[in-house]
């Protein structure tokens, strides 16, 4: 069967592709603007903390710390101190002795000579620092500051230049420095004996815990007082850690560290081989984009599936990055990928939501069939011939035997059947119980045959998932408008006919119905409706239990109008709440007056099925009861069994809220709604009210006697009271007392009476005979 979607629903493929394109452009623009750099840095730190590892121990920092400075008053130190350190370290078996101390200026000739001789006689490789710096503040040329000539004769030279980033952090380290055409390896490169392209950098591995790098105080080293430390075959890196000497830099993960510690971490990075090649962000961005594009091109992945694919890609790339860094393979930027994937999800959500909003205007959410707006759009201003409608009879009963999911299946199957009669086989779902279609041209000259065929199509039950449902319907038709076709189906139902043409008499009848509703609204606003009370009699104690509040409308011109006429009017118009407020307010006031004479009486108030799922009504009704002068437990809200079955979850929530407030709950008309014992056990009720159809005929109908007797027993097993309404003779009352029924109600006890009569007869009189004859 064709559907309206072909006209109103765009191909998701193009929306996915648009979201993909916008996301890719967004990621490229944001990345070029530097958005996400800080996030990338924080993610790098997070991975470093997850992969944290100790230093190799091959590099030992000999730190010029505060204690070492206190041992020697003058600074810079005499170079004999460094000579002694070289001798001690050589004797300890150090393979390399590297200095992060400036020796570019001369000291005294004797001190310089002492240090030069120590370097010359050391069996270890001695590395001295050089520094590339600007020649002067007014020149752009750079020069290299070298150790004095006599010191560098027997030493290797290495650059100690570092390059903080735009945030002043020192997260990258170079393999060397070129100054005036001379290439000089970096100190870390020399220590680790790892070469690389001069002027190229690598990221310092911040997963190395700097606290695990062995340290030895310079003062302890030269004095021999320090703790023993194994220096054989290791590199001793001498540099300042004392705050007074400065030379400190911030590093992303570990904060501010001394320069010598950063030199050691850079050396450890090369020693452990974790100076990973950084592929950058672009290759991974392109790979992620290809993955998503592949999903789009498949054309079989849903909107939710594409979002899951994007989220899965994000997880996989994050895990892949962690894995490649753990295995010391490569590293790459991930934030650009995350920007792309997040942007894709946002754009797809936006486009999908926009599409859904546009589509939902033309779709009935219950059945997923095109709705009235779709029908009107299809009809437009052109000549459409005839519009037919089918109104499902007994729709409330249909709600009881089906769920939301099965109703969708039911309407889909109905549409499939009626599609045989419809132009383009399109069936429209207008109201909850109303379907419509444009009559196929083949049937326009035989409308009687058209509806005969429609009736035949409904002879067989319709499947609602696993449930077989027998559907009855009345039909209407109009050549003028959708509304008149709708009215025609109502006319057919009211007249007991199979189908009907629209005519003006129906319009007049609906106008009268509308006028009656307006008069009823005014009567409610002016408080001109009456509330009467039907006594409820305790059958075991032979005492008054309370009353049920009932509403009556005495119209000034039409006389007494039955509640069975005006209450459905209010329910259909969505105005039943105001009437219920009026009845509840009167009942609370009257019960307050009765309570002063006969404490503990109860009063029941009927709550429409329409109101049970209205949270604002439930809140207001509870507030009214709480504000009254009687105990909350003296008020009982009566709800029909079918009301609780229409939407079980919403009903249960509302009933729990009412019961939590201390208000009693009674299930009215029990036995008509097909509820189960297990379902009743879920409800926070205190009372079951047997439907009068069972009670009135129980004397002559043995099967009804069985139903009544078993229901009373079941209620007592569940700890519930049971009320029997419709008691019209003493024989029925005697049977109910024999079966152990708790409360009786009916004309044999008393018809509904005004509050004044209830007070005079049922509160002031003590004789049972007087009560029963009232």
């Amino acid at each position: 069967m064709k559907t309206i979607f072909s006209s109103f629903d765009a191909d998701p493929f193009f929306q996915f592709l648009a979201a993909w394109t916008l996301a890719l452009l967004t990621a490229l623009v944001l990345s070029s603007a530097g958005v996400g750099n800080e996030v990338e840095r924080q993610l790098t730190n997070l991975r470093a903390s997850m992969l944290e590892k100790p230093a190799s121990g091959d590099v030992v920092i000999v730190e010029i710390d505060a204690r070492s400075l206190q041992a020697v008053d003058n600074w810079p130190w005499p170079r004999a101190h460094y000579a002694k350190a070289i001798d001690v370290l050589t004797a300890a078996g150090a393979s390399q002795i590297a200095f992060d101390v400036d020796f570019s200026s001369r000291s005294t000739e004797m001190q310089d000579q002492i240090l030069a001789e120590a370097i010359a006689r050391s069996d270890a490789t001695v590395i001295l620092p050089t520094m590339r710096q600007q020649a002067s503040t007014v020149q752009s040329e750079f020069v290299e500051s070298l150790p004095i000539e006599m010191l560098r004769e027997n030493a290797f030279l290495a650059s100690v230049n570092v390059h903080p980033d735009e945030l002043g952090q020192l997260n990258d380290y170079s393999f060397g420095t070129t100054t005036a055409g001379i290439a000089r390896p970096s100190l870390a490169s020399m220590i680790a004996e790892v070469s690389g392209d001069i002027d190229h950098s690598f990221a310092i591995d911040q997963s190395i815990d700097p606290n695990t790098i062995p340290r030895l105080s310079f003062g302890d080293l030269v004095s021999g007082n320090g703790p023993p430390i194994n220096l054989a075959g290791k590199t001793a890196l001498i540099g300042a850690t004392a705050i007074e000497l400065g030379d400190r830099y911030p590093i992303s993960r570990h904060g501010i560290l001394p320069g010598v510690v950063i030199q050691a971490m850079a050396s450890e990075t090369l020693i452990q081989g974790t100076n990973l090649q950084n592929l950058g962000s672009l290759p991974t961005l392109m790979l992620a984009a290809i993955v998503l594009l592949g999903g789009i091109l498949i054309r079989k992945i849903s909107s939710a599936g594409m979002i899951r694919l994007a989220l899965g890609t994000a997880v996989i790339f994050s895990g892949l990055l962690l894995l490649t860094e753990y295995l010391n393979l490569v590293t790459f930027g991930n934030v650009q990928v995350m920007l792309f994937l997040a942007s894709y999800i946002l754009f797809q959500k936006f486009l999908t939501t926009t599409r859904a909003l546009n589509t939902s205007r033309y779709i009935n959410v219950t059945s997923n069939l095109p709705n009235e707006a779709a029908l009107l759009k299809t009809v437009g201003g052109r000549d459409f011939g005839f519009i037919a409608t089918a109104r499902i009879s007994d729709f409330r009963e249909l709600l009881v035997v089906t769920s939301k999911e099965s109703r969708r299946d039911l309407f889909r199957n109905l549409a499939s059947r009626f599609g045989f009669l419809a132009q383009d086989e399109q069936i429209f779902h207008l109201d909850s119980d109303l379907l419509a279609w444009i009559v196929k041209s083949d049937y326009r000259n035989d409308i009687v045959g058209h509806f005969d065929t429609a009736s035949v199509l409904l002879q067989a039950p319709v499947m609602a998932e696993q449930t077989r449902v027998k559907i009855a319907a009345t039909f209407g038709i109009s050549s003028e408008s959708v509304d008149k076709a709708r009215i025609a189906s109502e006319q057919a139902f009211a007249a007991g006919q199979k189908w009907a043409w629209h005519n003006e008499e129906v319009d007049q009848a609906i106008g009268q119905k509308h006028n009656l509703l307006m008069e009823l609204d005014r009567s409610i606003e002016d408080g001109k409706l009456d509330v009467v009370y039907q006594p409820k009699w305790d059958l075991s104690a032979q005492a008054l239990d309370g009353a049920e509040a009932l509403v009556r409308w005495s119209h000034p011109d039409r006389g007494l109008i039955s509640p069975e006429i005006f209450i459905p009017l209010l329910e259909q118009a969505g105005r039943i709440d105001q009437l219920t407020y009026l009845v509840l307010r009167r009942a609370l006031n009257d019960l307050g007056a009765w309570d002063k004479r006969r404490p503990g009486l109860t009063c029941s108030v009927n709550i429409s099925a329409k109101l049970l799922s209205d949270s604002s009504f439930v809140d207001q009704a509870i507030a009214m009861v709480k504000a009254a002068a009687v105990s909350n437990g003296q008020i009982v809200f009566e709800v029909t069994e079918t009301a609780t079955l229409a939407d079980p979850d919403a009903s249960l929530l509302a009933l729990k809220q009412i019961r939590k407030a201390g208000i009693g709950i009674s299930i009215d008309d029990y036995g008509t709604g097909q509820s189960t014992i297990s379902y009743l056990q879920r409800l926070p009720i205190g009372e079951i009210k047997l439907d009068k159809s069972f009670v009135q005929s129980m004397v002559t109908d043995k099967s009804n006697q069985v139903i009544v007797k078993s229901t009373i027993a079941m209620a007592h097993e569940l700890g519930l009271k049971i009320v029997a309404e419709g008691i019209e003779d003493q024989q029925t009352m005697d049977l109910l007392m024999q079966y152990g029924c708790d409360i009786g109600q009916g004309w044999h006890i008393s018809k509904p009476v005004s509050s004044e009569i209830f007070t005079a007869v049922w509160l002031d009189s003590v004789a049972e005979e007087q009560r029963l004859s009232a």
Side-chain angles (χ1 to χ4, degrees), residues 8-10 12 15-16 19 303-304 307 344-361:
F8 302 106
D9 192 14
Q15 295 177 24
F16 295 164
S303 176
I307 290 177
Y344 176 80
I345 291 172
L346 290 176
F347 282 126
Q348 183 186 303
K349 279 282 189 184
F350 173 76
L351 293 174
T352 303
T353 302
T354 302
R355 166 177 166 263
L357 288 174
N358 290 333
T359 302
S360 66
R361 292 184 301 164

Side-chain angles (χ1 to χ4, degrees), residues 86-94 221 229-233:
I86 291 174
D87 290 338
V88 173
L89 291 170
T90 300
L221 175 71
I229 186 167
N230 180 19
L231 291 168

Side-chain angles (χ1 to χ4, degrees), residues 16 18-30 285 292 310 335-351:
F16 295 164
W20 180 88
T21 304
L22 289 171
L24 187 57
L25 291 174
T26 300
L28 292 171
V29 170
L30 291 178
L285 172 62
L292 251 62
V335 167
Q336 202 170 18
V337 173
M338 299 307 158
L339 284 174
F340 165 68
L341 296 173
S343 298
Y344 176 80
I345 291 172
L346 290 176
F347 282 126
Q348 183 186 303
K349 279 282 189 184
F350 173 76
L351 293 174

Side-chain angles (χ1 to χ4, degrees), residues 540 686-688 708-723 736-743:
S540 60
E687 178 181 287
I688 294 176
V708 170
K709 186 176 181 180
S710 62
T711 303
I712 292 171
M714 178 202 71
H716 289 163
E717 284 292 325
L718 295 176
L720 303 175
K721 269 179 150 183
I722 189 150
V723 179
L736 289 168
M737 292 171 64
Q738 178 184 333
Y739 295 158
C741 183
D742 300 300
I743 307 295

